Amino acid sequence: MTAVTFSSRSAYTSGQRSTHQIPTISSPHPRHNLLTTDPNSNSLRDYSNSSATNPPMTNGASTNMPSRLGTGGPIYAARDPELANGRPRTATEERETVDLDRRPLTAPGNKHNISLAIPPDDSDHDKPGRRLISKPPLLRSKSEHIVKREDGDQADEEVHEWGARHGFEDHYQSEDIISQLANNWYMYYTEKRHETTGQPESPNYAIEDWRMRDRLKTVSAALAVCLNIGVEPPDQLKTNPGAKLEAWQDPFVPPAAKALEQIGKSLQAQYENISLRTRYKQYLDPSVEETKRFCQSLRRNAKDERVLLHYNGHGVPKPTASGEIWVFNKTFTQYIPISLYDLQHWLQAPTIFVWDCSEAGNILNNYHRFVEKHEEEEDAAAAADPNYEKTKYRSYLHLAACAVKENLPTNPRLPADLFTACLTTPIEMALWFFVLQNPLKTSISPERAKKLPGRLQERRTPLGELNWIFTAITDTIAWTSLPRKLFRKFFRQDLMVAALFRNFILAQRIMMVYGCHPQSYPELPDTHQHPLWESWDLAVDLALAQLPMMERKENEGIEYEYQSSSFFAEQLTAFEVYLARGDAMQQKPPEQLPVVLQVLLSQQHRVRALILLGKFLDLGPWAVHLALSIGIFPYVLKLLQSAAAELKPVMVFIWTRVLAVDVSCQPDLIKDSGYNYFSSILNPSEVLAVVDSDMHKAMCAFVLSMLCKGYRPGQAVCNQSPIMTFCLAHLRNQDNVLLRQWACLCISQLWQDLPEAKWRGIRENAPMKLSSLTKDHACEVRAAVIHAMTTFLGIPDLTDEVARIEESIAWTLLDMANDGSPLVRKELLVFISHFVLRYENKFIVAAYEQLVEEKEYLLFPPTDDGLEHKMGLHYARPDNRNPDGTIRAAAQGLSSNTVFAACWKHILVLNVDPHPEVQRDATIVVDYVHNALLSSSAGFQAQNLMDEIQRRARRSRGHKKQPSTSRNGLKTSTSEITPPEPSPGLLKRTASLLFQLPSMWAGDSTNSSPLPSPGLVRNLSQRNRLTLDWATPPEQIDQANAPANYNTADEPVSGKFKERQLDQAPTLPLPSTFLDWSIEYFREPQMHPSEAEEPGSTEYNERLWRRARNENILRETQPQKQHAGSHRWNNQLCIMNNGAQPAKMTFHQYEDHLAVADDGNTVYIWDWKKQARLNRFSNGNPDGSKISDMTFINEDDTAFLMTGSSDGVLRVYRNYDSPKKTELASAWRALTHMVPSNVNSGMVFDWQQVTGNVLVAGDVRVIRVWAAAHETCIMDIPARSGSCVTSLTSDQMTGNIFVAGFGDGAVRVFDTRLRPQESMVKKWKDDSDRQWIRNVHMQRGGQRELLSASRNGKVKLWDIRMDSPLRVIQATRDTLRTASTHEHLPVFSVGTSAHTVKVFNFDGRELSRMEPYSSFLQQNRGAPISATAFHPHRMILGCAARGDQHINLFTCANQKPEGSLDSL
């Protein structure tokens, strides 16, 4: 059920001006914020169930109807949902007063700026919980009940004031009913389960490996410093003054002997600030031999890990173009070249090089060439010697100070090792550079700036904060500039590499100012002009601006508190803007994600950052992958050790999103007992400081389910904790559907294939506790219960106790075969398939004995002695029965009255299920068992039984039955009658191999429609009975004269339906997709409005247009009452050739759609205005049955078509007007114990849009109430009659009152608010007028008149407060065949057996008499009328005659037909 809320000028009242309502948004699974701990927070919507008004529904999406937008645009209030008793509350249960004072006077539609006076109790009812959101509302169309002209004065003059029957005037005066109708409206059969039937989407994302499993560490480093202080190399041009600082040390400060050593120590200290875990060794002015030795030692100690070689070549010649670097001889008298080829041989790989020397680009140019040469030699050696072990020369990384033919800067204000300073002391170098480049005059020197107070590791100090900001900025620059794979390799694999490459980005920026272009391998893009450098400059500027005061504080002791940077707060705001704008919807990666990662380190901003991160992850799997690839996982894993209460809600949400996308995190949850974080929150006694605590517990259950899913260590640790106990306790939670669903699924994953957990479940009485939810209002919960029971089966040690428990579970679940949800029935078949596989031999016996029963049924058909029900599950010939009708003990089979026999019969029923996916799965189970039976020792006898049953069934199908005679002695007809078969045709759609493959069956039966199974017919309680003691309806004669055609069009199937591959042998168990389908909920955005809710979107605009269209139709048609009740209706509008006999027809309220059903199973959709047929499809009801009734649902928006057929099945179709897109949204057997006969009404139903209930009745003893939102039968109301129900109608404004007409002429009124046994509040029955009630109808508008029409031509007007009719109109002396009442206008029509349609007003005056058109070839002017229908709003009457294919439309308009259509 999808909630759509409206606000409009709905005038439900008689004589009242239409009022404006503030629309309230209600959503099944609302799209709220799951993260905030403040219920009044405006930054995020609360994902809560705290309000007492809205009816949530699992896995649904809220849909808002557009309003007509004014200049200023109205505002709407978001209302939090509530789960009443764990189910969506129907509209009749909701009674919330509406806060009208909060609507702006200038809002669209407030005429003359009149404000409404509302009592204080009503207006202030729910103000505290409201939050205003600046989004235009989607409003409900004007009421179809009583809608007035907008100009009140003019309306008073032109339109007569119509009263209301039955005391319903109170409805129009009731504020709660008016506000209910004005503001809330629900769409049904639009949830995800109706589109997918539990089939998960194929993932549209690839799970990337974000963990960097080939992770390397830089374990050793050699710092080679070749300075030879005091001696200039021959090819280096030094300026005077020139750059001289090395590692921030002056080499020319005496004593000179200590200078080199001091530089080495300082350089090592700088590297240690980057990575303390790396082992460093200084090599100061090394010789060739020393270089070779330390290189080989470096590789030997590092083994397969990465080593670092830092080379400072300021005191030796530049690298050569042929690929050589320089060191010294032992006596420092010569410069000795070392080939890169040799260096590679000594260091091997993996390696990282830092080249701080002029013309360093020569090294990069030659390095790759030498590596390739080495590899060629290795390949040759390996080819010569198979045992040769190759040496690795890849991978390697290079950072070089400058390109080819570039010299290092010699600016005296810069350090000589500028590149090294950037790489190892980035903050000091950045401060130094900022002061040098600052165009403003300042007293701060580079030396002062470099001494900014603080420590790098302490983020609360100025220096530490700058370092923190620098890390975030360089990470972000890399994130936005590099391919994802390179980013992870450089910035997430190794601390040393990440720091050097991060600082290299700074080196690019600084050195380019001085004419150098730092090089790297792999090559990094140029980032020196990235816009984020401006943010860095601002942060540095703000820090240095406070430097004088900080110096005074240190020197003079004055009071001063450092003002922290607002960088992170501003970046979080930017991230928030990103999430609120279109970039997020377009899946454009956010620039701020690395910043969010850094902010998680700060306690000050952590909660806000986590909330925003949660909102980002909520965007979908693509966002989760981005966050994981940037390295968010270690942070959220570490935070599981935090005890901070404010983090719990958001941490639960984040982990839910992560595990929904990537379940590989299971081992991480076990490590350090991270799962206890969620287990403790799941504890029922744990109270979270959020308004939606139950929702977070549901997410905890999901997280723990994912921990157990297919992961034995996870199951083991969860089984050792009280998680199962917690989940069993949550089964009693009536407030949150998702919590009950995931508590069941968590149990199912906990004990799947884990006997210890199953025994624990037995000790805790888990099966019994789970069985209490088989009647749960939420379909998903019922399916989850079945899933948990399915995984419970299979304890290896099959003891008597285990068998007893498993059989009791099967007995409990069998009743769910009649569930209204295909999702539940599919999951039940999965359970049954496991059960069949576990007790295969017993099912073979049950199947064999079922065949024996079928043969008995054919040889000894039942007699109508009233004792057949005494036999229970089974059937036996009369010789084998006791006098009281029960089966003798000696005649009972091995499976008699066992769960296996009952289960097998339910499988056979599901074998003809109206939903194609359920029916397909059931045939697999049936075929598997029959295959096993034919392969068993009883296979030969079974084959003979099958052959004989098939022969006899074929013979009985061809037998013609004689016309029946009613008990009062009146013949129904003197001609031969063929009544509908007592529906073995229910087996029509079975695709079972049993009935298709000739190899299995003797004979020539390869028909795709299997022959009937009489035993199954009896199991469905479909048996012949004598005609009842009232006059037979004449349709039976019609069917005999004109046999219907079946399956003449394609039958729509469900959206995800896939045909069974009949060439593949059936295998069990059936796979369940329910868990994977349920997981998808947490991959879908929950905190973001759907496309249909976004103003400006296509769907939103379409709804806006539909709303305006609906209002226009209502406005145009309301003033027609007087005209329609006093003028002729014989103006023919058009004639349409349907191509088949029209038997039922119904008009859409707003679209120009007319649905027509023939007397078989085909539905035709017409555009009556264009006189064009839009679609034609088969309804799928079996031969011998017919479509009893049709109605459009969800008409205010995108309508669906609901059909009911005489076999007791209701079907709902979406896209019914599109030939290629028509799909079955749902189908179920609403009446399970139909009693076919020669005089039957089949099935009649009445849809209540206001409550979402469908009333179903017919040849049964009850009137059944099905709730569309729950897809369950919520009430069985005794019909209190021995005859069948022939017609149903109800009060469409509140849904409380409904009226039933009966075959014996009685009319009964029921009130659903009373207990079922007491719900009949009025009975009208005239024993002198025991005539079949052809139609009862209560208007939804107008005066709300209630009419009944019986087949003897009498039409009676009733008031439910009166004991006798208000008026009796003898509409015809012929047999009355059809009767229709207009929903708003004071007219009704009757169709007679004399080919005449008459229109009367409610005073009994005949307005018109028409004869529908008959084709030239078919001049049967005496053919009876087969169907009539009024348009719900317009003055249009449709009718059709028996034996003719034409649909005739008449109107009350004065114009000629062409003018009428043009005006419409």
Side-chain angles (χ1 to χ4, degrees):
M1 175 182 71
T2 302
V4 182
T5 58
F6 306 83
S7 165
S8 82
R9 299 179 305 283
S10 298
Y12 288 90
T13 61
S14 173
Q16 274 191 316
R17 291 187 59 83
S18 43
T19 61
H20 282 279
Q21 312 289 349
I22 295 178
T24 55
I25 308 305
S26 63
S27 165
H29 255 336
R31 308 208 176 261
H32 302 294
N33 177 21
L34 303 172
L35 313 173
T36 180
T37 59
D38 180 7
N40 298 315
S41 170
N42 288 325
S43 61
L44 298 167
R45 288 186 289 168
D46 295 326
Y47 200 146
S48 76
N49 298 321
S50 62
S51 172
T53 54
N54 286 342
M57 189 60 195
T58 309
N59 292 330
S62 69
T63 313
N64 307 328
M65 293 294 290
S67 68
R68 294 187 305 170
L69 303 179
T71 53
I75 56 178
Y76 72 83
R79 209 173 50 180
D80 292 332
E82 179 200 47
L83 289 144
N85 296 325
R87 63 178 176 87
R89 295 170 59 188
T90 60
T92 51
E93 292 173 313
E94 279 199 338
R95 290 293 180 265
E96 179 190 289
T97 55
V98 180
D99 185 4
L100 301 177
D101 290 340
R102 296 193 62 146
R103 183 174 176 82
L105 294 179
T106 56
N110 265 5
K111 302 296 182 184
H112 316 300
N113 289 341
I114 297 175
S115 62
L116 298 171
I118 302 296
D121 290 345
D122 293 336
S123 62
D124 295 334
H125 183 279
D126 59 348
K127 278 186 180 179
R130 293 182 180 269
R131 289 180 299 283
L132 297 181
I133 303 173
S134 58
K135 185 190 286 188
L138 292 159
L139 308 180
R140 181 187 171 104
S141 303
K142 280 186 176 180
S143 166
E144 69 261 16
H145 300 286
I146 302 290
V147 178
K148 315 291 279 181
R149 297 287 292 269
E150 289 199 16
D151 188 334
D153 297 333
Q154 191 176 355
D156 290 340
E157 293 173 7
E158 295 182 2
V159 181
H160 176 71
E161 291 295 338
W162 300 84
R165 287 281 178 226
H166 322 298
F168 286 170
E169 299 92 352
D170 295 344
H171 292 175
Y172 303 124
Q173 309 301 327
S174 168
E175 284 295 335
D176 60 347
I177 293 179
I178 290 173
S179 64
Q180 177 69 33
L181 291 169
N183 296 301
N184 296 314
W185 185 77
Y186 302 90
M187 292 180 67
Y188 298 93
Y189 299 103
T190 56
E191 280 92 5
K192 181 182 172 184
R193 67 174 182 270
H194 299 117
E195 297 173 2
T196 62
T197 326
Q199 291 286 340
E201 298 281 346
S202 53
N204 55 359
Y205 58 89
I207 298 179
E208 300 175 14
D209 188 4
W210 47 269
R211 290 181 179 270
M212 302 301 294
R213 301 190 188 280
D214 56 342
R215 190 163 189 158
L216 293 172
K217 294 179 182 177
T218 305
V219 295
S220 300
L223 310 178
V225 182
C226 303
L227 290 180
N228 198 12
I229 298 171
V231 179
E232 298 294 332
D235 60 349
Q236 303 266 9
L237 295 176
K238 293 287 185 180
T239 59
N240 193 12
K244 58 182 180 180
L245 293 180
E246 299 278 358
W248 299 107
Q249 302 295 318
D250 188 344
F252 302 106
V253 172
K258 294 283 186 180
L260 184 60
E261 185 182 336
Q262 195 63 36
I263 290 170
K265 287 181 179 178
S266 180
L267 179 62
Q268 180 171 335
Q270 290 171 194
Y271 265 107
E272 285 172 346
N273 277 332
I274 295 177
S275 173
L276 265 175
R277 295 183 179 179
T278 305
R279 298 188 298 270
Y280 299 96
K281 191 69 183 291
Q282 305 166 30
Y283 297 98
L284 308 178
D285 291 346
S287 64
V288 175
E289 294 79 7
E290 190 181 5
T291 303
K292 179 179 179 180
R293 190 168 58 253
F294 77 65
C295 285
Q296 291 175 335
S297 171
L298 211 57
R299 171 51 56 202
R300 188 167 53 251
N301 294 332
K303 297 179 181 176
D304 292 329
E305 297 285 3
R306 182 182 285 116
V307 296
L308 164 69
L309 174 62
H310 176 99
Y311 175 76
N312 179 326
H314 297 173
V316 292
K318 303 170 187 175
T320 65
S322 58
E324 295 166 320
I325 60 171
W326 300 87
V327 290
F328 305 99
N329 63 359
K330 287 186 178 180
T331 57
F332 295 94
T333 57
Q334 288 182 320
Y335 299 109
I336 308 296
I338 296 177
S339 170
L340 291 176
Y341 178 86
D342 294 330
L343 194 65
Q344 290 168 1
H345 186 68
W346 301 335
L347 282 175
Q348 300 173 18
T351 47
I352 178 171
F353 298 94
V354 176
W355 306 107
D356 190 351
C357 55
S358 297
E359 294 197 32
N362 283 330
I363 298 172
L364 270 65
N365 289 348
N366 288 283
Y367 197 90
H368 316 306
R369 179 167 56 88
F370 289 135
V371 167
E372 290 168 3
K373 185 178 179 182
H374 272 297
E375 288 177 338
E376 288 173 5
E377 293 172 355
E378 292 295 308
D379 291 341
D385 181 4
N387 298 322
Y388 180 77
E389 188 174 338
K390 287 185 179 182
T391 302
K392 289 193 300 181
Y393 291 98
R394 300 176 192 265
S395 63
Y396 48 87
L397 305 172
H398 291 270
L399 300 175
C402 53
V404 178
K405 296 185 179 178
E406 285 183 354
N407 290 313
L408 296 177
T410 57
N411 187 327
R413 304 192 68 185
L414 296 173
D417 61 345
L418 176 61
F419 186 59
T420 299
C422 289
L423 293 184
T424 58
T425 55
I427 306 304
E428 290 88 337
M429 191 61 239
L431 291 168
W432 191 287
F433 175 73
F434 178 83
V435 173
L436 292 179
Q437 295 296 310
N438 193 349
L440 303 176
K441 288 186 177 180
T442 174
S443 61
I444 298 178
S445 65
E447 289 78 10
R448 279 180 68 194
K450 181 175 172 289
K451 295 177 181 176
L452 189 72
R455 294 181 65 246
L456 289 173
Q457 290 76 18
E458 294 182 9
R459 287 187 293 274
R460 295 184 180 181
T461 63
L463 192 63
E465 184 182 66
L466 274 184
N467 185 46
W468 187 25
I469 294 172
F470 175 80
T471 302
I473 285 178
T474 49
D475 249 14
T476 305
I477 291 173
W479 164 253
T480 55
S481 306
L482 292 177
R484 296 285 173 262
K485 193 172 181 181
L486 274 184
F487 175 82
R488 289 204 305 274
K489 182 175 181 180
F490 292 162
F491 292 84
R492 292 296 179 265
Q493 195 180 55
D494 179 2
L495 281 177
M496 172 70 83
V497 172
L500 290 176
F501 271 88
R502 195 180 296 121
N503 301 343
F504 179 80
I505 293 173
L506 176 69
Q508 278 186 324
R509 183 190 193 208
I510 292 177
M511 297 191 72
M512 282 196 180
V513 174
Y514 300 105
C516 286
H517 296 79
Q519 307 288 297
S520 70
Y521 178 82
E523 184 178 3
L524 265 62
D526 181 17
T527 59
H528 80 283
Q529 289 186 325
H530 196 283
L532 267 179
W533 283 123
E534 295 181 7
S535 298
W536 168 248
D537 290 340
L538 176 62
V540 172
D541 199 7
L542 292 174
L544 289 179
Q546 301 181 67
L547 182 58
M549 291 302 294
M550 288 188 287
E551 289 174 339
R552 288 187 59 195
K553 176 184 178 182
E554 186 174 340
N555 298 332
E556 303 174 18
I558 66 169
E559 287 292 327
Y560 182 75
E561 185 176 349
Y562 175 72
Q563 300 298 312
S564 298
S565 171
S566 60
F567 171 79
F568 288 107
E570 290 165 357
Q571 291 298 313
L572 288 180
T573 302
F575 190 42
E576 200 166 358
V577 171
Y578 161 86
L579 291 170
R581 315 262 318 185
D583 287 348
M585 297 301 107
Q586 294 170 8
Q587 300 190 7
K588 180 181 176 183
E591 292 184 0
Q592 299 81 16
L593 205 53
V595 179
V596 176
L597 188 72
Q598 290 297 319
V599 175
L600 293 181
L601 300 171
S602 162
Q603 203 163 352
Q604 178 184 356
H605 301 291
R606 183 176 293 156
V607 173
R608 184 185 177 199
L610 284 171
I611 288 174
L612 293 176
L613 176 62
K615 292 184 74 175
F616 176 68
L617 298 181
D618 185 60
L619 294 174
W622 69 273
V624 176
H625 280 306
L626 272 182
L628 291 175
S629 67
I630 202 173
I632 219 86
F633 185 76
Y635 292 77
V636 294
L637 182 63
K638 185 69 175 175
L639 285 174
L640 290 182
Q641 306 304 319
S642 169
E646 67 273 13
L647 296 183
K648 287 184 178 180
V650 65
M651 285 298 296
V652 168
F653 182 78
I654 288 172
W655 270 94
T656 298
R657 294 288 153 178
V658 169
L659 283 168
V661 173
D662 191 347
V663 78
S664 69
C665 307
Q666 292 165 318
D668 301 282
L669 278 177
I670 294 180
K671 187 170 60 179
D672 300 327
S673 300
Y675 68 94
N676 283 329
Y677 191 86
F678 306 99
S679 175
S680 63
I681 298 174
L682 186 63
N683 190 334
S685 62
E686 174 79 7
V687 178
L688 284 180
V690 286
V691 291
D692 52 350
S693 177
D694 285 346
M695 184 58 68
H696 287 84
K697 290 181 186 295
M699 288 187 280
C700 286
F702 166 78
V703 169
L704 295 168
S705 301
M706 291 298 97
L707 174 60
C708 295
K709 183 174 182 278
Y711 186 58
R712 183 58 67 90
Q715 289 177 290
V717 296
C718 289
N719 192 44
Q720 291 163 8
S721 67
I723 289 172
M724 182 181 290
T725 307
F726 296 162
C727 287
L728 290 171
H730 287 307
L731 298 182
R732 298 191 298 271
N733 183 299
Q734 294 300 308
D735 298 325
N736 193 289
V737 168
L738 206 62
L739 177 54
R740 297 199 302 279
Q741 177 185 347
W742 279 102
C744 294
L745 291 176
C746 184
I747 293 170
S748 78
Q749 294 309 294
L750 178 54
W751 66 24
Q752 184 165 21
D753 300 326
L754 190 68
E756 302 87 20
K758 293 177 183 180
W759 282 112
R760 174 176 178 173
I762 292 172
R763 289 192 299 273
E764 298 200 22
N765 204 16
M768 181 65 70
K769 293 176 181 177
L770 284 166
S771 65
S772 66
L773 294 183
T774 55
K775 299 294 184 185
D776 195 274
H777 289 296
C779 305
E780 290 82 0
V781 175
R782 300 197 299 274
V785 167
I786 299 174
H787 189 82
M789 297 294 205
T790 303
T791 56
F792 176 82
L793 296 178
I795 294 177
D797 186 12
L798 186 53
T799 62
D800 290 343
E801 181 189 7
V802 171
R804 180 184 57 77
I805 293 170
E806 292 182 346
E807 289 177 26
S808 69
I809 289 173
W811 277 119
T812 302
L813 297 186
L814 278 185
D815 190 43
M816 300 178 83
N818 298 323
D819 197 283
S821 171
L823 176 73
V824 175
R825 300 199 301 276
K826 268 185 67 178
E827 199 60 28
L828 175 64
L829 276 169
V830 175
F831 169 85
I832 289 174
S833 69
H834 282 81
F835 194 62
V836 167
L837 200 60
R838 186 152 169 86
Y839 298 96
E840 185 173 318
N841 290 335
K842 299 195 176 187
F843 276 94
I844 290 174
V845 172
Y848 181 82
E849 292 182 353
Q850 168 70 21
L851 292 173
V852 173
E853 285 182 41
E854 293 204 17
K855 180 183 172 184
E856 295 269 287
Y857 188 91
L858 286 169
L859 291 173
F860 304 96
T863 56
D864 195 8
D865 57 4
L867 296 177
E868 187 190 344
H869 69 279
K870 294 290 186 69
M871 288 185 285
L873 269 177
H874 304 281
Y875 189 84
R877 65 177 71 188
D879 299 347
N880 292 330
R881 299 182 210 163
N882 294 317
D884 62 353
T886 58
I887 300 176
R888 292 178 178 171
Q892 292 180 357
L894 290 173
S895 67
S896 184
N897 294 320
T898 65
V899 69
F900 309 106
C903 194
W904 179 243
K905 292 178 189 294
H906 277 84
I907 296 170
L908 294 176
V909 174
L910 292 169
N911 204 42
V912 289
D913 193 89
H915 197 279
E917 293 184 38
V918 179
Q919 185 260 347
R920 174 200 63 200
D921 290 352
T923 62
I924 295 174
V925 181
V926 170
D927 292 344
Y928 179 89
V929 174
H930 278 151
N931 279 353
L933 172 59
L934 293 174
S935 303
S936 69
S937 56
F940 179 75
Q941 294 90 330
Q943 185 71 62
N944 291 337
L945 275 171
M946 290 174 178
D947 294 342
E948 184 174 354
I949 290 167
Q950 196 172 30
R951 283 195 302 271
R952 289 185 177 277
R954 191 182 295 117
R955 199 178 308 143
S956 67
R957 175 179 265 189
H959 177 65
K960 293 280 187 181
K961 293 188 174 72
Q962 296 302 313
S964 57
T965 304
S966 63
R967 288 179 184 167
N968 59 15
L970 295 176
K971 292 277 187 180
T972 58
S973 170
T974 55
S975 63
E976 184 176 76
I977 298 176
T978 305
E981 281 293 320
S983 242
L986 285 176
L987 286 167
K988 189 267 312 174
R989 281 203 313 193
T990 305
S992 174
L993 285 166
L994 180 62
F995 293 106
Q996 288 194 336
L997 297 185
S999 61
M1000 280 185 161
W1001 286 84
D1004 57 353
S1005 175
T1006 56
N1007 191 344
S1008 62
S1009 293
L1011 293 173
S1013 170
L1016 177 58
V1017 173
R1018 191 193 58 74
N1019 292 332
L1020 295 175
S1021 298
Q1022 294 173 333
R1023 48 190 190 274
N1024 289 322
R1025 58 188 169 105
L1026 295 176
T1027 55
L1028 299 177
D1029 55 349
W1030 57 89
T1032 307
E1035 288 76 48
Q1036 314 303 326
I1037 306 169
D1038 300 336
Q1039 291 178 357
N1041 293 339
N1045 295 319
Y1046 287 83
N1047 308 316
T1048 59
D1050 292 336
E1051 182 181 343
V1053 294
S1054 51
K1056 294 277 188 178
F1057 176 72
K1058 291 181 181 177
E1059 289 282 355
R1060 177 183 166 192
Q1061 300 298 318
L1062 292 178
D1063 56 345
Q1064 297 177 3
T1067 57
L1068 296 187
L1070 297 172
S1072 172
T1073 58
F1074 178 71
L1075 178 65
D1076 292 333
W1077 179 81
S1078 299
I1079 292 170
E1080 283 185 346
Y1081 173 79
F1082 293 110
R1083 296 183 190 139
E1084 298 163 354
Q1086 301 301 326
M1087 292 188 284
H1088 298 269
S1090 64
E1091 184 71 9
E1093 297 174 22
E1094 288 289 354
S1097 69
T1098 303
E1099 290 181 52
Y1100 186 95
N1101 290 340
E1102 286 175 353
R1103 288 190 161 168
L1104 190 68
W1105 177 86
R1106 281 193 290 266
R1107 177 199 172 272
R1109 185 267 320 268
N1110 298 351
E1111 280 205 347
N1112 286 335
I1113 291 173
L1114 291 163
R1115 190 181 302 110
E1116 291 167 7
T1117 57
Q1118 286 303 318
Q1120 297 172 348
K1121 290 178 180 145
Q1122 283 185 318
H1123 181 87
S1126 57
H1127 290 71
R1128 297 178 64 79
W1129 280 71
N1130 57 358
N1131 191 13
Q1132 194 158 47
L1133 192 62
C1134 63
I1135 301 172
M1136 299 178 291
N1137 187 348
N1138 190 51
Q1141 167 70 62
K1144 294 286 179 183
M1145 61 177 72
T1146 185
F1147 285 90
H1148 192 293
Q1149 283 195 64
Y1150 305 110
E1151 302 283 354
D1152 301 325
H1153 293 166
L1154 171 64
V1156 181
D1158 66 9
D1159 48 5
N1161 63 3
T1162 309
V1163 177
Y1164 303 81
I1165 306 296
W1166 285 85
D1167 184 318
W1168 55 261
K1169 188 178 285 188
K1170 296 178 181 177
Q1171 301 176 42
R1173 193 172 76 190
L1174 303 176
N1175 195 12
R1176 180 179 76 124
F1177 57 87
S1178 170
N1179 186 57
N1181 48 290
D1183 294 5
S1185 64
K1186 62 179 181 178
I1187 298 174
S1188 301
D1189 205 354
M1190 297 182 297
T1191 190
F1192 292 101
I1193 68 174
N1194 304 339
E1195 288 176 282
D1196 287 49
D1197 192 52
T1198 305
F1200 288 24
L1201 180 66
M1202 178 181 282
T1203 66
S1205 49
S1206 59
D1207 59 345
V1209 171
L1210 285 177
R1211 293 174 174 86
V1212 181
Y1213 298 98
R1214 73 168 67 84
N1215 305 323
Y1216 59 84
D1217 56 332
S1218 303
K1220 301 295 183 185
K1221 298 180 180 176
T1222 308
E1223 291 180 354
L1224 186 69
S1226 188
W1228 74 102
R1229 202 173 300 281
L1231 292 180
T1232 51
H1233 294 84
M1234 297 285 284
V1235 188
S1237 67
N1238 289 345
V1239 279
N1240 62 53
S1241 60
M1243 179 178 73
V1244 293
F1245 74 90
D1246 186 55
W1247 166 255
Q1248 297 177 340
Q1249 184 72 47
V1250 69
T1251 61
N1253 292 342
V1254 56
L1255 310 170
V1256 187
D1259 293 316
V1260 289
R1261 299 293 175 260
V1262 296
I1263 299 166
R1264 188 159 286 170
V1265 184
W1266 288 86
H1270 313 148
E1271 299 185 66
T1272 56
C1273 176
I1274 56 173
M1275 193 182 301
D1276 272 351
I1277 298 174
R1280 306 283 287 274
S1281 173
S1283 68
C1284 59
V1285 179
T1286 61
S1287 182
L1288 283 172
T1289 186
S1290 61
D1291 164 27
Q1292 291 289 338
M1293 192 165 176
T1294 64
N1296 296 329
I1297 303 292
F1298 74 88
V1299 181
F1302 290 81
D1304 60 356
V1307 177
R1308 290 176 172 83
V1309 183
F1310 298 86
D1311 190 331
T1312 57
R1313 292 169 294 187
L1314 302 176
R1315 293 175 59 245
Q1317 292 76 11
E1318 302 167 355
S1319 59
M1320 192 186 81
V1321 293
K1322 182 70 70 176
K1323 172 186 174 182
W1324 297 303
K1325 186 175 182 180
D1326 185 352
D1327 288 330
S1328 64
D1329 189 20
R1330 293 169 61 84
Q1331 291 286 330
W1332 183 281
I1333 297 294
R1334 191 56 247 158
N1335 180 263
V1336 291
H1337 188 83
M1338 181 183 288
Q1339 289 184 301
R1340 66 172 77 181
Q1343 287 181 279
R1344 313 289 298 282
E1345 293 285 7
L1346 170 62
L1347 283 79
S1348 69
S1350 52
R1351 64 179 298 269
N1352 62 0
K1354 287 185 180 179
V1355 177
K1356 301 177 182 179
L1357 276 71
W1358 305 92
D1359 188 306
I1360 62 175
R1361 298 168 293 181
M1362 305 295 182
D1363 293 330
S1364 56
L1366 301 172
R1367 184 174 289 112
V1368 179
I1369 302 167
Q1370 187 68 48
T1372 179
R1373 295 294 178 185
D1374 300 307
T1375 303
L1376 186 145
R1377 299 300 298 270
T1378 70
S1380 301
T1381 306
H1382 199 285
E1383 294 287 6
H1384 299 280
L1385 308 181
V1387 294
F1388 68 90
S1389 70
V1390 296
T1392 72
S1393 59
H1395 197 70
T1396 304
V1397 176
K1398 298 180 180 181
V1399 180
F1400 293 82
N1401 65 14
F1402 289 163
D1403 294 330
R1405 182 160 68 90
E1406 184 178 321
L1407 302 177
S1408 294
R1409 182 178 300 203
M1410 299 88 75
E1411 290 190 2
Y1413 166 83
S1414 293
S1415 64
F1416 176 75
L1417 297 175
Q1418 199 155 5
Q1419 294 296 328
N1420 183 7
R1421 302 299 296 274
I1425 302 300
S1426 64
T1428 56
F1430 279 106
H1431 190 285
H1433 298 297
R1434 300 187 187 277
M1435 294 187 294
I1436 296 176
L1437 170 64
C1439 57
R1442 195 77 208 165
D1444 189 75
Q1445 299 181 352
H1446 291 86
I1447 303 163
N1448 297 260
L1449 299 188
F1450 294 92
T1451 181
C1452 186
N1454 293 324
Q1455 307 101 306
K1456 292 183 179 180
E1458 295 80 7
S1460 298
L1461 280 173
D1462 291 342
S1463 67
L1464 292 172

